[in-house]
Amino acid sequence: MVGQRLEIRQGQGLVITPQLQQAIKLLQLSNQELDEYVETELEKNPLLQRDETEAGPAREAGDEIPALASSESSELSFSDTGISERNSTVDAGDSDVYGDATPGERTVDRLSDEAAQPGLSDWSSAGKGGSAFSDGEGGERPDQREATLWEHLQAQASSAGFDATDHAIAISLIDAVDEGGYLRGELAEIADRLGCGLERVEAVLTVCHGFEPTGIMARSVPECLKLQLIERNRFDPAMEALLDNLEMLARRDLQGLRQACGVDSEDLSEMISELKGLTPRPGAGFGGETAQTVIPDVHVRPDPAGGWKVELNTDTLPKLLVDKRYHASVSAGARTETEKAFVADCAAQANWLVKSLDQRAKTILKVASEIVRQQDAFLAFGVEFLRPLNLKTVADAISMHESTVSRVTSNKYVSTPRGVFELKFFFTASIASTGDGAAHSAEAVRHRIKSMIDHETAEGDVLSDDRIVELLNEAGIDIARRTVAKYREALRIPSSVQRRRMLKFA
């Protein structure tokens, strides 16, 4: 029988206050998006104003007018006995965006480790941080723009099977690509900055030359055209001679070209027609955003006393003040309840925003300091010493939630003696161990698979994917056969049957 009745039930639910929603969004904004958000708040709230005074010492908590600290720094000292933190402005007791957030609130929009690891995820998502102007339900608007050339190349680098060192080199090379698709950086300079050999940088560039579109990351027009001709299987000595004498083609010196290439007029005409069908600017077909200079949020430099000094870039931090005198004046003049409520809301919002910006700065500094502590070997010795790192390791070390660390590292950049990197650059994926040992870096496992196959000979046994799994399991790496096959294909290594035929033919 169907009927209606009243029941009282007790249950638990997740309640996110509007201020907590905004605090979460503030944490993941880039410095440009944060400045836009602050400008909007300044227009809406008459009690807020910018602090136009020059940067001075940090204000104490007892100051009458709350403001963002003008200078925040954390010095890390590395020694044989351990790591100590001195003069830190970060309270070790901070556990999340706000200390008063409930455990349930801290689990909102939790992101997995893989979402922040360049070894497994698409780096093209690095520039798609949340916006402060999302919908009211806390969801973010989907990014429907076309991928830029750099995002397209970074995505290919993430799936190219590089180990951690080579992946870092590839990202640095991609950063040096211009809008036309040409590599404008000097390889020797990149190798010196990253602390690795020039031969290794050249080897990574050779792999990158296989990225799409064909001809990308060439260092000159002849090299760009050469890569496209090689893909079409049309690069021969005559065509090589033509590429070496493009200036003669520009002068229309056809007789000189025939002599240089050793061909007749008909062959030369066909070769020139083939060149006309190539793309001299392979990157021009990509949509893109206006190139913007990356402004680091954090500076890292050697400390004369030893270790590394981590400082916030105060130029990127909006400095706001709450005009208490104007607040007192308008409060006294408020007549109706509506006016009084408006003034009270403005005061509460202004005080909250100043506090939130200060907490955001401290959280960024705290996370960046821990990343520097974990990756000090990279800063000291070069890219080959980049350690496997995930969100959980950093979150556990500083008593924060993984989602908070993920938001902090989105769209944030750090300036180091080895260059400017996104904070997500320092995170690499890992593969579980078969025993109780530490997890293995996915890039390191790929490198081990490649090393095994590189040592195959025609006289010895060619390793099948199953045999590679057995060898890796014996080495303490828990990996499935399909994963080995995926890594092998990403490395562009043929199957064992094909390799056996190739070795016999060789």
Side-chain angles (χ1 to χ4, degrees):
M1 184 175 179
V2 179
Q4 293 182 344
R5 61 179 179 177
L6 295 176
E7 289 186 354
I8 298 177
R9 294 182 181 180
Q10 186 176 14
Q12 291 183 340
L14 181 61
V15 178
I16 307 178
T17 64
Q19 286 190 339
L20 182 57
Q21 289 183 11
Q22 287 183 310
I24 293 173
K25 293 173 184 175
L26 281 180
L27 196 58
Q28 64 188 13
L29 294 182
S30 64
N31 47 40
Q32 181 181 2
E33 292 170 333
L34 179 65
D35 192 63
E36 294 174 356
Y37 177 80
V38 169
E39 281 294 335
T40 302
E41 291 299 314
L42 285 170
E43 294 175 1
K44 294 192 304 183
N45 196 329
L47 301 184
L48 277 174
Q49 64 177 357
R50 285 191 181 274
D51 184 3
E52 302 296 344
T53 59
E54 295 184 1
R59 305 190 184 206
E60 299 179 357
D63 287 348
E64 180 179 356
I65 301 178
L68 254 180
S70 304
S71 175
E72 303 268 4
S73 67
S74 175
E75 301 178 6
L76 298 178
S77 175
F78 298 88
S79 63
D80 296 335
T81 58
I83 303 171
S84 61
E85 189 171 349
R86 322 191 299 274
N87 302 328
S88 175
T89 61
V90 180
D91 184 1
D94 291 341
S95 60
D96 218 308
V97 181
Y98 287 118
D100 55 356
T102 65
E105 290 170 338
R106 296 182 189 133
T107 62
V108 178
D109 295 337
R110 175 170 179 173
L111 302 178
S112 62
D113 287 353
E114 291 80 8
Q117 296 174 6
L120 292 180
S121 65
D122 185 349
W123 270 68
S124 65
S125 63
K128 302 175 183 176
S131 170
F133 308 102
S134 305
D135 57 75
E137 296 298 325
E140 298 172 1
R141 296 178 181 175
D143 192 351
Q144 298 178 349
R145 64 174 174 80
E146 295 182 4
T148 65
L149 172 63
W150 297 274
E151 291 170 345
H152 181 67
L153 294 176
Q154 288 167 355
Q156 294 180 79
S158 296
S159 59
F162 289 127
D163 58 28
T165 300
D166 289 346
H167 184 271
I169 296 173
I171 294 301
S172 296
L173 290 173
I174 291 171
D175 288 341
V177 174
D178 65 11
E179 294 181 355
Y182 286 90
L183 181 66
R184 296 307 184 189
E186 294 293 334
L187 298 188
E189 179 182 344
I190 294 175
D192 181 65
R193 175 165 56 85
L194 295 178
C196 61
L198 177 61
E199 297 79 8
R200 186 158 194 175
V201 177
E202 291 174 342
V204 173
L205 179 59
T206 300
V207 177
C208 293
H209 280 161
F211 290 173
E212 294 293 337
T214 306
I216 202 70
M217 298 181 70
R219 287 161 287 183
S220 63
V221 173
E223 185 178 31
C224 176
L225 300 178
K226 174 183 175 181
L227 293 172
Q228 298 178 54
L229 289 168
I230 290 176
E231 184 191 46
R232 300 184 181 190
N233 198 24
R234 290 292 296 123
F235 185 72
D236 53 26
M239 191 65 79
E240 183 178 9
L242 178 58
L243 294 181
D244 291 339
N245 294 277
L246 289 179
E247 71 282 355
M248 297 176 65
L249 180 60
R251 298 197 308 267
R252 300 179 182 274
D253 185 2
L254 301 183
Q255 181 177 356
L257 282 175
R258 287 195 296 269
Q259 294 176 354
C261 299
V263 296
D264 57 24
S265 298
E266 183 178 354
D267 289 339
L268 180 61
S269 177
E270 291 180 359
M271 292 166 61
I272 294 175
S273 296
E274 287 187 35
L275 286 187
K276 290 181 179 179
L278 303 179
T279 305
R281 287 174 56 86
F286 280 80
E289 302 170 336
T290 304
Q292 297 178 351
T293 303
V294 172
I295 302 176
D297 300 85
V298 180
H299 292 299
V300 177
R301 64 175 186 269
D303 190 342
W308 302 93
K309 191 170 184 179
V310 183
E311 294 180 330
L312 286 175
N313 183 2
T314 56
D315 293 336
T316 65
L317 300 177
K319 300 176 180 64
L320 300 180
L321 299 175
V322 179
D323 193 337
K324 300 245 176 178
R325 294 178 181 174
Y326 185 64
H327 178 217
S329 175
V330 295
S331 295
R335 303 298 183 188
T336 65
E337 292 298 325
T338 303
E339 293 175 351
K340 293 178 181 179
F342 174 75
V343 174
D345 289 342
C346 288
Q349 181 69 12
N351 283 300
W352 169 84
L353 182 58
V354 170
K355 174 187 174 184
S356 297
L357 292 175
D358 184 56
Q359 185 65 39
R360 175 184 181 273
K362 291 180 179 179
T363 304
I364 293 174
L365 179 62
K366 193 172 185 179
V367 172
S369 298
E370 178 60 23
I371 291 176
V372 169
R373 189 185 75 85
Q374 296 279 355
Q375 300 290 6
D376 63 295
F378 161 75
L379 298 172
F381 304 111
V383 70
E384 294 184 5
F385 293 86
L386 193 65
R387 297 169 181 164
L389 186 64
N390 56 32
L391 294 174
K392 188 175 187 304
T393 302
V394 175
D396 291 345
I398 59 179
S399 301
M400 283 188 179
H401 195 274
E402 294 173 46
S403 62
T404 301
V405 177
S406 177
R407 290 183 174 89
V408 168
T409 54
S410 295
N411 309 307
K412 309 298 187 305
Y413 293 85
V414 55
S415 172
T416 73
R418 299 197 176 276
V420 178
F421 303 94
E422 189 179 13
L423 286 179
K424 286 185 181 294
F425 169 86
F426 298 99
F427 292 92
T428 60
S430 62
I431 293 179
S433 173
T434 54
D436 296 330
H440 302 270
S441 168
E443 286 78 10
V445 173
R446 293 190 188 101
H447 180 73
R448 181 173 296 200
I449 293 173
K450 184 176 184 299
S451 179
M452 290 178 179
I453 295 176
D454 287 343
H455 288 84
E456 292 176 343
T457 61
E459 295 77 14
D461 293 332
V462 176
L463 300 175
S464 65
D465 291 347
D466 290 325
R467 180 55 181 161
I468 293 176
V469 170
E470 293 175 2
L471 294 175
L472 291 177
N473 287 338
E474 292 174 2
I477 301 174
D478 185 13
I479 191 170
R481 181 187 180 281
R482 63 180 180 275
T483 306
V484 170
K486 181 181 69 174
Y487 287 175
R488 176 178 55 76
E489 292 170 359
L491 292 167
R492 301 184 181 181
I493 298 175
S495 65
S496 58
V497 175
Q498 293 173 310
R499 298 200 307 274
R500 186 177 293 106
R501 292 173 181 170
M502 294 168 60
L503 289 172
K504 288 182 178 179
F505 179 78

